[in-house]
Amino acid sequence: NGEPEAVSDTILVGEYGSLSGSEATFGQSTHDGILLAIDEINAAGGLKGKKLEVKTYDDQGKTQEAGTAVTRLITEDHVVAVLGEVASSLSIAGGRVSQNYNVPMISPSSTNAQVTEIGDMISRVCFIDSFQGYVVGKFAYDHLKARRVAVMFDQGQAYSTGLKDDFIREYTAIGGEIAGEPQAYTAGDQDFSAQLNAIAALQPDAVFLPGYYTDVATISIQARRAGITAPLLGGDGWDSSQLAQIAGESIEGSYYSNHYSHQDTSPAVQDFVKKYQAKYNKTPDGLAALGYDATKILFDAMERSPSLDGKDLAAAIAATKNFQGVTGLISMDENRNAIKPAVIVKMQGGIPTYVTTIYPKGTEPAPTEVPPVTPPTADTAAPVEPATAPH
Amino acid sequence: MALLEVQDLHVHYGAVHALQGISFTVEEGQVATLIGSNGAGKSTTLRTISGLVRPSSGSIRFDGQHIGAMAPHKIVRLGIAQSPEGRGVFANLTVHENLEIGAYTRNDRAEVARDRERVLHLFPRLRERLKQLSGTLSGGEQQMLAIARALLARPRLLLLDEPSLGLAPQIVKTIFQIIREINESGTTILLVEQNAHMALRAANQGYVLEVGKIVLADDAHKLSQSDEVRKAYLGIS
Amino acid sequence: MTTLVQTLIDGVALGSLYALIALGYTMVYGILRFINFAHSDIFMLGAWFSCTIAGLLGWAVGTPPTWAFIVVLLAAMAACGLLGFIIERLAYRPLRSAPRINVLITAIGVSLFLENFGQLPKIFGNTPTKMPALIPDIALGSFAGVRLSLVNLIVIVVAVVLMGALEWLIYGTKLGRAMRAVSYDTKTAALMGIDVDRVISITFVVGSALAAAAGFLQAAKIVAVQQPAHVSWVQLGLKAFVAAVIGGIGNVRGAMIGGVLLGLVEMLGGAYLSSELRVVYVFTMLILVLLLKPEGLLGKTTVEKV
Amino acid sequence: MSAALHVDNVSIAFGGLKAVSDFSLTLREGTLHGLIGPNGAGKTTVFNLLTGVYQADHGTISLGSQRMNGLKPNQIARAGMVRTFQNIRLFGDLTVLDNVRIACWSRTTTNTLAALFRTPAHMAEEAAIAERARELLDIFDLLPREREQAKNLPYGAQRRLEIARALAMDPKVLLLDEPAAGMNPQEKIALRGLIRKVREQFGLSVLLIEHDMGLVMDICERITVLDHGEVIADGEPSAVQRNPKVIEAYLGAPNEED
Amino acid sequence: MATLAERAKSLRPSASKMALDSVGPVVLAIGLTLLLHFVVGPAVGHSGTKILLDMGINIVLAVSLNMVNGFTGQFSIGHAGFMAIGGYTAGIVTYYGGYKLFGTTNPTGGFLGAGQWLFALSCIAGAVTSGFFGYLVGLPSLRLKGDYLALVTLGFGEIVCVLLTQSGAVVPASGIDAVPAWQLPYHVGGAVGFSPLPFYTNLFWVYLFVCITVLFAYRLKESNHGRALLSIREDEIAAEASGIAVTPIKVRAFAFSAAFAGVAGGLYFHLLGALPKPGELGFQKSFEIIIMVVLGGMGSVSGTILAAIVLTILPEVLREFSDYRMVVYALALVLMMLVRPQGLFGIREIWELGRERRKKARGSR
Ligand SMILES: Nc1ncnc2c1ncn2[C@@H]1O[C@H](COP(=O)(O)OP(=O)(O)OP(=O)(O)O)[C@@H](O)[C@H]1O
Ligand SMILES: Nc1ncnc2c1ncn2[C@@H]1O[C@H](COP(=O)(O)OP(=O)(O)OP(=O)(O)O)[C@@H](O)[C@H]1O
Ligand SMILES: [Mg+2]
Ligand SMILES: [Mg+2]
């Protein structure tokens, strides 16, 4: 079994992600964030004098590969914990392996509910889809006063379909109406006219695009060509400096929810952005920030944990409270999902500009108040099923 | 000097040693024939001359020039055309197009048109079928097409691999007649035949090939009189 | 009604693009009888080369001159043509006498290589890029709400022109006849004085150049050019191949008709039935056409004479 | 004598071309029957019609008392009419032995399940097939090469293998399409003997297409002549040979040397 | 000459030959399976075991595809589609069926316990379902030949993928009772994939099915039924003229091949415990399998096994290369094809090769 060995003077952490294949850009961002955090931790003396080291395997964005990579990390490299993946279906595959071997895994950015349902070894530092769906729905209804929203999602991505479902549920619960049938696309359609023509004909108040920025850039351009002038809405998958760079005018005035805004003036964020830019010479996106936070939370748990044994470490991670990360003040709920607010940003002059912060239901701070300590609460989102993981 | 000079030619197909050092010559303006039983290496010899098969050693000289290592299309341009065994007509092209491909290397359009008339005169059957896809021709018709096509290249040396295969007796006679005519109009011919009888009558020079070696070489008429040949290849005991 | 007309226009534009890509598949298949899987990557590279070349020439910012697009188009075609030549030379030619399935696997290898090599950080990287606006993004008049964008018009026109040129090349020239001869039997073609290797090289160069043209047009149209290893390239290539088969593989006009038909089916189905099943329409149409007319709409039945 | 094969008025056209029109023929039990005619006369097409490769536009084909019209090639082969091909069609990559063993398929009785479990009945049958195939190869002088790939055999041997493969199906009627093409005179003489021998040994009726008149006139008891898809003569070899229509269309003026 | 039936009577094999030929390999196979499970598995550790499992599943996939592509010469690009059908069927049986039987969706029982038998049954159910679809896909071969048939299989595979993405979310254990049983097969996870499936796959079952597949393929090939398939690959017209009912046999080959792909699907999905998103089971996965068949040598069972082994290990060895990994893999693939276009050992079985070489050496002397 993956017992940590105390003989060496480094502590090995595993990472698996898509460094090649269609989704390589996400894997790479996360990887950059993780490395930055590791550097910092080691510069500060590591864990009781021991350096942290990360072992990274590519999974090409494939489920089978993810399973193999995590198995190898745990059983051969004997890592104490695993970081990854971005795509929910891969986090599920890797998570099931981790759970099986009792090695804790933190997913930086998989937002699908099923990920942490796997079992007590699995946690995440991002919010989950149902919350994000709620955030965007509430924002559309309350702030934009949009009453009819059209939806267009990537049917091949668990992230996209999940967020679509959660958005529809939350938005209609508030009283909004979905215009027409949700339109689906697959990665194979670079030409989205069929879907966009249909949406244009509906004349919705806004269009929700729960996809990755890689697709959203071109969808927004084609949407404008198809005569859609309503604002576009999206989730954290939009977060990349490239979105504005490519889509330009077309994306102006659109909104998306995110884990953080790199414009946030808080020291935690500014410090991170500065270091990241120094190291990689580019602006960090949300995935980099989450990779960074996941690593920091793991380290924090290691320091608190009585041992690096899987059970102890997982318990320590689950007990994370009010951890000041780049992506906000993070606490784990009893299902090991991070509870934290989301920000809504607006594309203005090519820059995602902070608009508002939306808190989990029931945790909203008093108006005008800067968020105090966010108390963990059970009432986050959809009822979460008890874990049905094997032992 | 001989138009074609083959010296100590060896050819291998993988482990099969198909030609084991054959030497022969074809004089300009003559008809030479290679006869021999199945698998003796006759077709291999022709394929090697045309450049389709690489010799392992030995030399082939055409008009004094070494062609042993040349690409097939260059050899054709030097003036060697072949009507291959098994015909090799382009099944998805029409008879007409097949003939045009035959004249691929030539740019003298008027002359080509005249030559085409000539071969269609030789093979009236083909004229009836000009528009037909050649893959649907009968076996004999395909054979005619293959010969006609080779003629359109207006070669100096024409290689014929079993031109009488599968032809009706009357056509066989015609074919040999045509071979003589072509030869008289100045084309040198190297003829490979199972029908040794006809071949030796049409040829000036004959070579007998057996399992990769030339075992007899002589004036064609003399060969046809020799006992060995009469027994083995003419079926006369 | 407006939506219908709009969808038809978009369908034809999409279909023209499929047709352009389909031509390369059809040509290679016609001659070497294998599906050149690397073709979709040449298409992808056509798009990336276009972006890169336009960037190098300083047209990524500001308003480039009107003729810029011709320069970039031709440059991308030349670059991809050269690449097609090299690939054929190194990866396919050594397998000339091997069974064609091996060539198919090699093509998959080449395809994987191009994608993953292109994706390396030092090459094109793994994020999308932006195609400089060489063709202004304007709508050519909008009639009763129906728009025909300049890009789409250019796509259609370029496709038709290139197709006509290709048709002439294959059926009207000596080279074309040689191509068809090579497609039937390379050995005998060589005996006719045809330089088989050269003909095959030319086929690849022409096919790749056409794919590059398609890549350029696609980039101009979608602006956001996906990273080299993105699945959408392969998916698009596959659909284009399907178009070639529907029209009758090996047939230039068939590729055009197949492409347009496929574009229309995808767009109409996507707009009116369900957008979730776009791929299903494509392949259902393929299966139906094959079952009803196995050789494709314009394909000729080739009987094998026994 | 009864008829092994009875063909009545069959025709087929390709596009406008009438390849075979109103072709009739009776192949008597146990005879060697020649089918000759100029190139493109429609001889191979007749074989294709008989074996179900093409379906006749009209007319009937009966093997013994059984109607063959509308049957698939494999059903016709099973019914007892088998052929060889003008352009040899062997299973090139397979061994000589396998080529013959495959042809025994239609005569076997054990099913796939038996093959997977290797039941005694199946193994006995396999052994029987192998034994039978080897006997056939022996007759055709191919036994020493049983393990070679068929495509590597010399031409003449390939022709013999095709006949051996056909015989493995226990045919009643054997159709040979130019079996002597590409053979030298010596081999042709051997082939003559071989055809006669298998006819006796297997009780066959043979329909033979061949352009070598020496061979045809020597071994055929009866000859049908085809030209432009139509029968122009039918009868004893000597009569056919003298028939002016046949001479005109096919044989040409008598050969000086013969 | 005596008829076959008459001959067969006198050629009944002896009991010892039967034991050696018919029963022997089966005993050997079970022995090997147990050896792997109890000795080799623990010896190579977890990640070694994972690779052995992947290898076994790839062998089943490649050998089964070989029945269509290699033996019969039909070109199928839809193998992953059959794998998906089999896997989803098996998943439905173990997940929902497991709940109905045992009241839990977790693995039940130990080695050869109740859960494992359910799992074996689920693989067989997967085989039956995908075999049925294989039969359907084989039917167009009535009209289509060669590459056209290949395209139909490709289309089939892609359609399966898209339709599976349309399915509903998996019903968690606590909610299964509330959903009518007939609706459950619809809830297989959509784009997320079918998860969490119980982990049942182990060396014993994988290699048991490997042995079954290999014995099946090899015995088929060595019988008159298999030779009939080979003859279709060589020359359809001649095969038909040799009395072989070409179409039904082709359809049957498709069905067999699909059935084993279905088994592989079941094994594969219960190894991951999560089903890959359907998008991963498209033609690219099919090509991975085709590559194994071609590299192994079309029609060579032993060659295919070897190729499956090589191509499972290769990406594992390359895993360290991170972003250069696929570049190296692609180059390796091209090189392998250039160096060994005829497959690792040509189209014959490996042991036939030595015999041939010996003979050639003798012949050329
Ligand atoms: N491609 C090949 N691979 C392996 N062996 C070959 C190949 N082609 C020919 N051979 C062998 O080479 C030898 C000579 O063959 P070739 O075709 O030259 O004979 P041939 O004299 O033309 O006979 P035929 O009268 O049958 O046409 C034969 O033993 C033949 O089996
Ligand atoms: N499938 C087909 N399509 C079109 N024409 C055909 C087809 N099959 C045969 N033909 C034509 O029918 C005629 C008869 O052909 P067939 O092959 O029967 O001749 P044959 O008597 O066997 O001649 P040969 O002695 O040259 O083999 C030929 O003119 C041929 O072109
Ligand atoms: Mg020869
Ligand atoms: Mg014929």
Side-chain angles (χ1 to χ4, degrees), chain B residues 38-39 41-44 47 85 161-162 192 194, chain D residues 155:
Chain B
N38 278 145
K42 307 180 297 292
S43 303
T44 304
R47 279 188 223 130
E85 185 180 38
D161 199 346
E162 303 204 24
V192 160
Q194 289 289 357
Chain D
Y155 199 83

Side-chain angles (χ1 to χ4, degrees), chain A residues 221-272:
Chain A
I221 294 171
Q222 294 179 34
R224 301 310 180 207
R225 271 192 212 140
I228 297 173
T229 48
L232 309 177
L233 305 174
D236 57 337
W238 280 32
D239 193 45
S240 165
S241 54
Q242 289 218 308
L243 178 59
Q245 215 172 307
I246 294 170
E249 278 296 297
S250 310
I251 203 77
E252 277 298 290
S254 298
Y255 302 86
Y256 65 94
S257 66
N258 200 9
H259 307 276
Y260 92 123
S261 156
H262 72 261
Q263 285 198 319
D264 192 334
T265 49
S266 78
V269 172
Q270 282 316 309
D271 187 43
F272 166 70

Side-chain angles (χ1 to χ4, degrees), chain C residues 25 28-29 32-37 92 100 103-104 107 204:
Chain C
Y25 282 113
V28 171
Y29 188 93
L32 297 176
R33 306 269 139 198
F34 80 97
I35 306 173
N36 180 17
F37 268 91
Y92 302 155
R100 62 205 179 90
V103 196
L104 185 86
F204 270 89

